[in-house]
């Protein structure tokens, strides 16, 4: 009986942890260990981003040494031709919280010299984080279950505990 209750409590702790994990925003280091630099090839950052799913509220951290900027715009026009019009004054690391309602598409590039033309650029879209939809990428497939299912399990466990008490 006591061990049964212990098991129930254990389940509840696990379920709570999963629920928390399902809504936690992710922080991505742009470019991983390279950081935000002129890349070794022009598809480096596109390849980096292609592998990831970005959700509303996730953060991107741009970390660099030397002279770089981060310009982020909503349309492809100036991104495609690496337009250098604005002067941007930001320091590293620059951490941006993605906001889908403000900007569903982000086009990022460095405005310094020819860095953008050499591939220091990438674009992403930001998905809505639904309460009933898959959580951000995670090693555990359990996290892709709907939250409703967790809530159902949770209330079952609470009921069981109450019955035991
Ligand atoms: C670009 O560089 C990265 C890192 O060196 C490498 O993993 C990737 O395969 C390269 N891509 C191309 C298209 O050469
Ligand atoms: C995708 O990203 C993960 C984690 O950063 C990495 O382990 C994996 O090798 C990447 N896969 C591809 C196809 O680039
Ligand atoms: C997006 O920005 C709006 C205000 O413009 C704010 O109310 C909302 O909380 C932000 N969303 C996220 C995920 O930061
Ligand atoms: C930025 O990158 C450098 C070199 O990889 C690293 O030592 C440093 O801790 C990073 N800074 C942040 C804030 O991530
Ligand atoms: C890039 O394209 C934008 C939008 O079409 C245009 O206003 C701008 O003059 C172009 N810049 C360059 C350097 O070609
Ligand atoms: C999010 O939920 C809405 C309904 O609330 C649905 O129409 C939409 O397709 C969902 N988004 C995703 C990415 O599944």
């Amino acid at each position: 009986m006591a061990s049964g209750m212990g098991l129930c409590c254990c389940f509840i702790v696990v379920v709570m942890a999963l629920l928390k994990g399902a809504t936690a925003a992710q922080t991505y280091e742009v470019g991983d260990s390279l950081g935000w630099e002129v890349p070794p090839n022009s598809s480096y950052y596109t390849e980096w981003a292609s592998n990831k799913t970005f959700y509303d509220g996730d953060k991107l951290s741009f970390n660099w040494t030397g002279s770089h900027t981060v310009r982020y715009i909503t349309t492809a026009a100036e991104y495609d031709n690496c337009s250098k019009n604005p002067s941007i004054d930001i320091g590293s690391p620059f951490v941006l919280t993605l906001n889908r309602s403000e900007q569903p598409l982000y086009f990022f590039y460095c405005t310094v010299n020819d860095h953008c033309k050499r591939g220091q650029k990438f674009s992403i879209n930001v998905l809505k984080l639904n309460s009933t939809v898959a959580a951000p990428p995670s090693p555990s497939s359990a996290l892709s279950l709907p939250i409703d299912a967790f809530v159902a399990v949770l209330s079952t466990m609470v009921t069981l505990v109450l019955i035991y008490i």
Side-chain angles (χ1 to χ4, degrees), residues 64-77:
W64 67 87
T65 56
S67 180
H68 298 291
T69 62
V70 182
R71 188 180 184 211
Y72 51 101
I73 52 180
T74 52
T75 62

Side-chain angles (χ1 to χ4, degrees), residues 55 127-128 130 132-133:
Y55 290 93
L127 302 187
K128 186 177 169 186
N130 275 355
T132 54
V133 147

Side-chain angles (χ1 to χ4, degrees), residues 25 56-60 94-100 102 106:
D56 198 23
D58 283 350
K59 292 181 166 64
L60 295 187
F94 171 66
V95 180
L96 177 72
T97 301
L98 302 174
N99 192 314
R100 190 178 194 277
E102 290 177 348
Y106 285 78

Side-chain angles (χ1 to χ4, degrees), residues 29 33 63 93:
E29 283 293 331
S33 58
N63 180 11

Side-chain angles (χ1 to χ4, degrees), residues 40-44 47:
N41 60 57
S42 59
S43 55
Y44 182 88
E47 287 172 26

